[in-house]
Amino acid sequence: MADVSSANLVNNGNELIEKGHTLNGYRKSCWYEEEIEENLRWSFALNSILHTGASQYQDIALLDTKPFGKALVIDGKLQSAETDEFIYHECLVHPSLLHHPNPKTIFIMGGGEGSTARELLRHKTVEKVVMCDIDEEVVDFCKSYLIVNKEAFSDPRLELIINDARAELENRTEQYDVIVGDLADPIEGGPCYKLYTKSFYEYTVKPRLKQDGIFITQAGPAGIFSHTEVFSCIYNTLKQVFKYVVPYSAHIPSFADTWGWVMASDTPFVLNADDLDQRIKQRIKEENKYFDGKTFSSASTLSKAVRKSLDNETHVYTEGTARFIYGYGAAAACKLNQV
C-alpha cells in the first residue's frame, strides 16, 4: 500500500497540504512510500504529483519522481517508472517472440500502459496485436500521459479491446502465436488473481494458442526472500498445464526487488544465446537497451536457493487456494496542494 508523505506536509482528512516553505533555506521533499512487506517500506523523493484519479476498478497516480522519472502507480503498487521500465517490458516480450519460429498474432492480457504493445510492435514479423484491458480509464490515462507509447497506440496493427481478458479469450475463436500476461499482481481484493489459476491456463489460455504457441506472464517478485509469495507457485501451476516451462528474473531498481516471468509451451525452447542474438538482428527494429542472448542466459539461471525452492514447490494456484503478494486491492488517492 502506498502513500505520499513529507515532514513538511500535514494530513487534512484525505488531502496532504504543504505547510511552511523552507528549512534553513531549503524546501523539504515530498516522498512516495510503498509498503512492500509488513516491516519493510520503500520510499523516494518526488518533484511533483502529476495526476491522481480513480476508475471503477483501480486507483491511479502519475508521479514525477526524482530518482526514476515519471512513475505510474495503480492500487498503491508502482507499475513502471520512466528510467527502468524497459527492463521489465523487454524481459516480458522478447524471450517468447524470439523463441517462436514466426510470431504474427499476439494477444496481450492487460498491458493498458501500452509499453508491452510497443515492444511487441518492434518485431518485424508481427501482423496483429490484440491488447485487452479491463480498465478503459487506465488506458485513456496512459494514452494521455505516457508519451513514450504514443506511436504504439496509433499503430494500425494494434487492436484495443476494453474487456475482461478471460471473457474476451473465451468468446474468441481465433488462436494466437503468443499470449502475453501483463496483468497486475495477484493482490487480495484486486481484479486479476483469477487469471493466474490452473483452470484459466488450462481451459482458457492454452486452447487459444496455435501449434508452437507460447504463453508468457509476469509472475511477481522473484527475490531471494520474496519469490515464495507467488513466483514459485505460478511456475509450478504452469508446469501442470504445459510440457516446457522456463522461469527467469531480473532486478528492477524502481521495484526495489528482483522480478520474475514464466514462459511456457508444449514445444521445447532450444535456442542458445547466439541463436537469440541472431534473431534479434533479423527481427527487431532498433537496438534493445537491456535484453540479448547472454542476458536471457543469465536471467534464466536462477540462484541455488531459488532453484531449490521452485523444485520443491507443490502449491497449485486456484481460486480457492490463491496466494497474494503483500498489499491491498485499493489505496486512497492523495492530493498535494499549495497554501
Side-chain angles (χ1 to χ4, degrees):
M1 192 170 185
D3 198 2
V4 181
S5 62
S6 170
N8 206 35
L9 299 174
V10 292
N11 196 320
N12 181 17
N14 289 326
E15 296 186 351
L16 291 173
I17 301 175
E18 188 175 6
K19 68 172 183 178
H21 297 285
T22 61
L23 180 66
N24 296 328
Y26 295 95
R27 183 184 298 277
K28 286 190 175 182
S29 295
C30 180
W31 288 75
Y32 167 82
E33 183 177 273
E34 182 173 317
E35 193 170 310
I36 299 174
E37 297 176 8
E38 186 175 359
N39 298 312
L40 180 62
R41 294 186 176 188
W42 168 236
S43 63
F44 42 83
L46 302 181
N47 291 312
S48 63
I49 301 171
L50 298 175
H51 188 81
T52 61
S55 73
Q56 176 184 350
Y57 302 100
Q58 299 162 117
D59 293 326
I60 316 161
L62 185 66
L63 311 176
D64 182 9
T65 77
K66 292 189 176 182
F68 301 116
K70 292 180 182 177
L72 178 67
V73 178
I74 296 180
D75 274 355
K77 290 289 183 180
L78 192 144
Q79 302 298 304
S80 71
E82 189 175 22
T83 60
D84 64 7
E85 58 87 5
F86 66 91
I87 303 174
Y88 171 94
H89 291 104
E90 288 186 14
C91 286
L92 173 66
V93 167
H94 299 313
S96 58
L97 266 71
L98 292 170
H99 278 92
H100 193 282
N102 189 25
K104 294 182 178 181
T105 58
I106 321 295
F107 188 98
I108 310 171
M109 304 187 301
E113 175 187 342
S115 298
T116 296
R118 180 197 70 214
E119 293 300 317
L120 288 167
L121 292 165
R122 292 177 56 212
H123 283 255
K124 299 173 185 178
T125 62
V126 169
E127 297 176 354
K128 182 179 181 181
V129 174
V130 179
M131 185 175 86
C132 181
D133 198 286
I134 196 172
D135 199 330
E136 187 170 17
E137 291 183 53
V138 167
V139 174
D140 289 342
F141 181 94
C142 293
K143 279 184 177 181
S144 298
Y145 291 97
L146 301 182
I147 306 302
V148 67
N149 297 328
K150 184 178 180 180
E151 289 186 14
F153 278 115
S154 62
D155 193 301
R157 293 173 292 169
L158 180 66
E159 178 186 356
L160 175 60
I161 303 292
I162 302 300
N163 196 7
D164 174 76
R166 182 175 194 160
E168 189 66 26
L169 282 172
E170 289 173 348
N171 291 333
R172 285 179 172 246
T173 57
E174 60 263 53
Q175 293 179 307
Y176 302 91
D177 295 311
V178 177
I179 296 177
V180 180
D182 187 17
L183 300 163
D185 299 316
I187 298 174
E188 191 167 8
C192 292
Y193 77 93
K194 295 180 181 179
L195 278 67
Y196 290 92
T197 61
K198 179 178 181 290
S199 61
F200 176 66
Y201 294 148
E202 186 171 10
Y203 300 116
T204 303
V205 171
K206 193 171 183 179
R208 297 274 71 80
L209 286 171
K210 295 179 182 178
Q211 186 176 4
D212 296 326
I214 297 174
F215 174 65
I216 179 73
T217 182
Q218 81 89 13
I224 192 72
F225 300 119
S226 60
H227 72 276
T228 55
E229 287 184 316
V230 294
F231 179 61
S232 60
C233 70
I234 291 172
Y235 164 73
N236 186 59
T237 301
L238 283 166
K239 281 178 59 181
Q240 315 306 309
V241 179
F242 292 92
K243 292 181 181 178
Y244 304 96
V245 181
V246 177
Y248 59 100
S249 63
H251 180 66
I252 311 290
S254 63
F255 288 2
D257 204 348
T258 300
W259 213 255
W261 302 265
V262 183
M263 182 168 62
S265 179
D266 282 341
T267 301
F269 302 109
V270 296
L271 301 185
N272 60 31
D274 291 337
D275 296 330
L276 289 171
D277 285 338
Q278 185 62 30
R279 287 194 173 181
I280 288 171
K281 291 178 182 178
Q282 293 171 345
R283 296 184 181 185
I284 299 180
K285 300 173 184 176
E286 302 177 353
E287 186 176 353
N288 289 338
K289 296 180 181 179
Y290 181 82
F291 184 88
D292 64 3
K294 288 184 178 179
T295 300
F296 185 70
S297 296
S298 174
S300 56
T301 305
L302 303 175
S303 69
K304 178 182 177 180
V306 175
R307 291 198 312 272
K308 184 176 180 180
S309 183
L310 265 62
D311 288 343
N312 293 331
E313 180 64 77
T314 60
H315 189 90
V316 175
Y317 206 107
T318 70
E319 292 187 21
T321 62
R323 287 183 180 176
F324 305 100
I325 70 166
Y326 186 82
Y328 304 92
C334 297
K335 291 189 269 186
L336 179 65
N337 297 324
Q338 297 273 344
V339 292

